């Protein structure tokens, strides 16, 4: 009788815990997450802007806003997903129902890459980012054109510029709410966790206040940025890229930063 009573108590306790766990599954929006100031989504350059003068080889990095995520072409992604394309001296396509071509002016990043090394010869170029689905059909998610000038091409080996790792970018050490945290992966591929593709990962951001429990956010749908609006105070941020096949396994070392929110 006692054993039955004890078993019933354990089952009741487990039932009480399960709803609490279900309320915060990976990918759920946390109260500290804020809507982006701009409602439209955009694929963009994180380290290049219109009018820049650069030398090549140049490591060019990509971002993606509006809650969209990266999904390699090997498996279909969910809604609001795609892979990056770099357009060189090309306007946006006139027909968004036609697949993008494969050539030197339409460079595809179908594995979930977030960067490429430019090896352009000296001259003036117009570059633009465009997101497309696994069939290379464009989404209405793209960047403004950036006209740049390559002033010099150096003998640097392009392969040495991309070093395996992750990075996070903030507006500064002191920010006002809401503020953006941008994620980046070098020599690593980002994907939806549900795609279960080998050698891909998704970002996890841990936010540690000066006092209180840390907040963990898993971006399982390939997102590469987040807007935050936590209470005013000081926080430590830790960014990881977790394996989409082996739960909890990091694909590279984590990076950390500190920020004060006013």
């Amino acid at each position: 009788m006692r054993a039955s009573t004890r078993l019933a108590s354990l089952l009741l306790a487990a039932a009480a815990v399960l709803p609490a766990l279900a309320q915060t599954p990976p990918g759920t929006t946390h109260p500290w997450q804020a809507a982006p100031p701009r409602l439209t989504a955009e694929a963009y350059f994180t380290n290049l802007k219109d009018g820049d003068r650069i030398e090549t080889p140049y490591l060019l990095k990509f971002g993606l806003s509006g809650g969209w995520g990266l999904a390699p072409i090997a498996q279909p992604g969910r809604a609001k997903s795609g892979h990056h394309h770099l357009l060189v001296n090309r306007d946006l396509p006139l027909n968004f129902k036609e697949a993008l071509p494969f050539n030197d002016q339409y460079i595809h990043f179908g594995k979930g890459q977030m960067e490429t090394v430019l090896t352009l010869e000296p001259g003036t170029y117009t570059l633009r980012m465009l997101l497309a689905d696994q069939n290379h059909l464009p989404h209405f998610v793209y960047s403004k054109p950036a006209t740049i000038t390559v002033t010099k091409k150096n003998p640097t080996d392009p392969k040495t510029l991309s070093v395996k790792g992750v990075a996070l970018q903030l507006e500064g050490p002191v920010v006002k709410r809401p503020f953006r945290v941008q994620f980046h992966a070098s020599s690593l591929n980002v994907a939806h966790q549900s795609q279960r593709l080998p050698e891909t990962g998704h970002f996890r951001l841990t936010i540690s206040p000066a006092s209180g429990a840390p907040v963990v956010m898993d971006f399982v749908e390939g997102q590469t940025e987040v807007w935050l609006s936590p209470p005013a105070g000081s926080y430590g941020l830790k960014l990881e890229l977790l394996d989409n096949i082996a739960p909890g396994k990091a694909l590279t070392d984590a990076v950390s930063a500190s920020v004060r929110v006013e």
Side-chain angles (χ1 to χ4, degrees):
M1 188 72 176
R2 289 182 180 177
S4 299
T5 303
R6 185 178 179 185
L7 177 60
S9 298
L10 289 173
L11 291 173
L12 287 172
V17 171
L18 286 174
L21 293 176
Q23 290 172 6
T24 55
T28 298
T29 300
H30 188 273
W32 287 2
Q33 289 182 239
R38 296 181 60 188
L39 297 179
T40 57
E42 182 183 23
Y44 60 92
F45 304 113
T46 64
N47 65 338
L48 190 75
K49 62 184 185 299
D50 187 49
D52 278 355
R53 299 171 66 85
I54 65 170
E55 296 181 5
T56 58
Y58 182 85
L59 184 64
L60 182 61
K61 301 179 180 181
F62 319 140
L64 185 59
S65 69
W68 284 71
L70 294 178
I73 62 174
Q75 294 285 346
R78 296 184 182 180
K80 298 183 71 172
S81 69
H83 63 285
H84 284 299
H85 298 77
L86 174 63
L87 277 56
V88 181
N89 292 335
R90 299 298 299 180
D91 293 328
L92 289 174
L94 296 177
N95 186 353
F96 273 56
K97 295 183 179 181
E98 288 184 0
L100 296 173
F102 284 77
N103 57 46
D104 291 343
Q105 292 183 300
Y106 294 88
I107 304 172
H108 296 239
F109 301 97
K111 295 181 179 180
Q113 304 99 310
M114 295 188 67
E115 64 184 25
T116 190
V117 177
L118 296 178
T119 57
L120 299 170
E121 298 292 335
T124 300
Y125 301 87
T126 298
L127 307 179
R128 189 195 287 268
M129 297 303 301
L130 174 62
L131 199 73
D133 67 13
Q134 70 270 16
N135 296 315
H136 311 289
L137 296 174
H139 293 298
F140 286 94
V141 180
Y142 50 82
S143 72
K144 296 178 180 178
T147 299
I148 63 159
T149 300
V150 176
T151 60
K152 181 182 179 181
K153 186 173 183 180
N154 297 307
T156 307
D157 182 355
K159 295 179 181 179
T160 65
L161 296 184
S162 183
V163 179
K164 185 177 180 180
V166 296
L168 61 82
Q169 183 174 335
L170 295 159
E171 298 171 6
V174 180
V175 297
K176 295 184 182 295
R177 298 173 291 175
F179 62 96
R180 180 168 63 175
V181 184
Q182 294 168 291
F183 317 144
H184 187 76
S186 292
S187 292
L188 293 161
N189 300 324
V190 179
H192 286 212
Q193 186 181 43
S194 61
Q195 290 182 290
R196 295 192 58 78
L197 295 173
E199 300 181 357
T200 70
H202 66 276
F203 288 107
R204 169 181 286 177
L205 181 67
T206 302
I207 309 166
S208 299
S211 60
V215 171
V216 179
M217 299 179 182
D218 282 293
F219 298 91
V220 296
E221 294 189 346
Q223 303 97 322
T224 60
E225 69 171 41
V226 66
W227 285 83
L228 297 175
S229 186
S234 296
Y235 297 86
L237 305 179
K238 182 177 75 171
L239 183 68
E240 303 169 276
L241 189 69
L242 301 184
D243 194 307
N244 282 332
I245 296 293
K249 176 186 174 183
L251 292 175
T252 187
D253 293 337
V255 293
S256 300
S258 298
V259 66
R260 189 171 81 248
V261 180
E262 296 184 337

